Amino acid sequence: MSPAITSFMWFVAIIAMIPVALWLLKRTPMGGAGGLGVMRSVAALPLSSNQRLVTVEVGQGDERRWLVLGVTAQNITVLHNMAPQSEAAPPQMPAVHPAFAQILSRFRRDQGSTGER
């Protein structure tokens, strides 16, 4: 094999290894994968376009804590530190209004009784 072909093959091999190395790095603790499960967002409440309240859970096991944070464009402030709470299901909309299908069937029944089309 000529030296030019060998050099070109090494060049292609190195270029092909770059995405593989980045993929492996992303899945190691050095690349940030070691912190999975240590912190998670519990809730967020926007107060204005650049201010919000955020509740995050940090730690694992008995060391878990919830932090209520005030977040602005300039800084993040810890407003409260508390033990983890039981997460309630999001509130459901009360069934005050009848379902659309019921309204439509009533409308059709009323239209059919008067003979209008």
Side-chain angles (χ1 to χ4, degrees):
M1 241 194 272
S2 75
I5 292 176
T6 305
S7 296
F8 180 73
M9 288 176 57
W10 275 110
F11 174 75
V12 170
I14 290 171
I15 295 298
M17 281 192 265
I18 291 173
V20 172
L22 292 174
W23 181 79
L24 288 171
L25 180 65
K26 190 164 67 169
R27 281 152 183 80
T28 62
M30 189 171 57
L36 295 176
V38 175
M39 184 174 73
R40 73 177 179 98
S41 176
V42 176
L45 175 68
L47 301 175
S48 69
S49 62
N50 61 352
Q51 297 176 341
R52 59 185 191 267
L53 286 175
V54 178
T55 304
V56 295
E57 181 178 278
V58 295
Q60 293 178 338
D62 293 336
E63 298 296 317
R64 285 184 12 210
R65 299 298 295 169
W66 279 13
L67 303 175
V68 179
L69 307 173
V71 179
T72 66
Q74 290 78 26
N75 63 12
I76 299 173
T77 306
V78 177
L79 302 174
H80 190 63
N81 183 347
M82 62 185 168
Q85 309 294 311
S86 62
E87 293 184 48
Q92 299 292 327
M93 293 294 294
V96 180
H97 303 290
F100 177 74
Q102 293 173 343
I103 295 171
L104 184 61
S105 66
R106 189 177 333 142
F107 178 73
R108 285 184 172 176
R109 194 174 342 115
D110 292 344
Q111 289 293 327
S113 65
T114 60
E116 296 176 16
R117 292 251 168 185

